[in-house]
Amino acid sequence: MGPALGLWHLYAAAALASVCTVVFDVGYQTYLPRLVGRDFLPLGNARLETSSSVARAGGPAIAGAVTQLLGPALAVAADALSFLASAAGLLTIRTPESAVPDPTGAPWRKQILDGARYMWRAPVLRWLSAAAALRNFSMAMVDTILLLFLYRAMDLSPALAGAVLTAGALAAVLGAVVSRRLVHRMGAGPVLLATATEGIVWAAAPPALATGSSAVVIAIAFVSALWLPVWNITVITLRQLITPPHLLGRVHATARTINLCTIPVGAVAGGLLASWASDAWGEGTGLAAALAFAGLVTIGGLPFLLRGEIRHMQRLPSTEGPLPW
């Protein structure tokens, strides 16, 4: 018999998968403009976000069924095979791709800094990244507190708690589908401002607790989750259109680093807030108040979005040349 697998094997596999995910995400966001062209970027990003939302909605249920059928170890192996299917799909892309060299020929360390400098000097990218970082911090707090709120404050059954999460997953699919229509009707800037609803709606958590209605919580989760794909599609498209091709990969990587590093901090802050509020006001009231406060933290990102370049943006640039603001 070979050596038994230990927990550190799982840690190593998870770390490697995470690294590969980052590389893939930065790669596809950089490659998409060359694949579909500038005019079709909103459509391309919407379809990619839709497929991602569908996977997030159906993935947990499929994972549960596969785990029950095959057992945990074989379920992880089956998941690994799904990555091979993804790679096979990528190999079917026949669009030629030419490298976009850095015209300065600078060393790679300086190239990384050049990407960060460009994002800082481009006001739209800078303010969007700041708003996204605060938004992720807030929603990480919400996600941490939410399960405690559902089980301890609302006393929901696992089935009803699952319904809340399912409503959010289905709303994300809908948000991805309607995002382009929203931008067309409202304008890119107003849509970005409207996405603050994702967090603000959780201010209704205390009334939901007072009514004891699971339907109210399901509605809150649905409205909240609707806006995340709208934000992702609009912001990624703007970044792709604004950034020069030779800097796009570095700018995507910089923005991702800034935006996502606040998530673990927000998760810890949410746990501490839930513990403190429960001790101060009791578990039910404390968790409801903590959830409402965590959602309202997203309001802190509005000043960044109210900058003139973003607030007055009505359309996404579709052709080479001056940007429409």
Side-chain angles (χ1 to χ4, degrees):
M1 293 179 61
L5 294 177
L7 195 57
W8 72 270
H9 293 94
L10 188 60
Y11 291 152
L16 181 60
S18 298
V19 170
C20 292
T21 298
V22 171
V23 174
F24 178 85
D25 288 350
V26 173
Y28 92 74
Q29 291 172 7
T30 304
Y31 177 51
L32 187 65
R34 307 177 204 175
L35 182 64
V36 302
R38 289 168 62 91
D39 289 345
F40 291 98
L41 274 175
L43 176 61
N45 282 312
R47 288 182 174 176
L48 287 169
E49 187 67 27
T50 300
S51 67
S52 178
S53 298
V54 169
R56 286 193 296 266
I62 295 173
V66 172
T67 301
Q68 184 171 357
L69 180 64
L70 302 178
L74 289 178
V76 172
D79 180 49
L81 292 177
S82 71
F83 286 87
L84 293 178
S86 173
L90 293 174
L91 290 174
T92 64
I93 299 175
R94 300 302 181 189
T95 302
E97 179 189 13
S98 56
V100 182
D102 190 310
T104 65
W108 66 269
R109 292 181 183 85
K110 186 177 184 303
Q111 291 184 30
I112 294 174
L113 291 176
D114 287 342
R117 289 192 190 100
Y118 180 85
M119 196 183 75
W120 176 256
R121 292 169 182 169
V124 171
L125 298 181
R126 181 170 72 244
W127 301 131
L128 286 176
S129 187
L134 189 56
R135 174 192 215 88
N136 287 341
F137 175 83
S138 172
M139 297 314 298
M141 293 176 67
V142 168
D143 291 342
T144 301
I145 300 168
L146 179 57
L147 286 178
L148 296 174
F149 176 75
L150 295 178
Y151 284 117
R152 296 183 180 180
M154 296 290 295
D155 195 26
L156 298 185
S157 66
L160 285 176
V164 174
L165 302 180
T166 301
L170 295 176
V173 176
L174 178 62
V177 171
V178 304
S179 62
R180 290 174 60 244
R181 188 173 302 173
L182 286 174
V183 172
H184 178 73
R185 290 180 177 272
M186 298 173 58
V191 163
L192 288 172
L193 289 171
T195 59
T197 306
E198 180 185 8
I200 294 173
V201 71
W202 287 106
L209 177 65
T211 62
S213 171
S214 59
V216 175
V217 184
I218 291 173
I220 294 171
F222 186 91
V223 173
S224 176
L226 185 71
W227 292 102
L228 177 59
V230 177
W231 170 272
N232 287 341
I233 292 166
T234 307
V235 170
I236 290 173
T237 302
L238 274 170
R239 194 184 302 142
Q240 291 165 332
L241 291 169
I242 294 171
T243 308
H246 72 281
L247 289 172
L248 188 53
R250 282 169 276 173
V251 170
H252 278 315
T254 302
R256 184 183 174 91
T257 300
I258 294 172
N259 298 349
L260 298 188
C261 71
T262 58
I263 292 178
V265 179
V268 173
L272 294 174
L273 176 62
S275 177
W276 175 81
S278 297
D279 291 341
W281 299 313
E283 198 163 58
T285 302
L287 288 173
L291 188 56
F293 176 82
L296 290 174
V297 170
T298 56
I299 296 176
L302 288 179
F304 301 114
L305 300 179
L306 288 171
R307 300 281 176 167
E309 300 92 338
I310 299 175
R311 179 181 53 182
H312 300 301
M313 189 188 307
Q314 289 300 309
R315 63 181 179 86
L316 297 172
S318 60
T319 58
E320 299 287 351
L323 298 175
W325 54 81

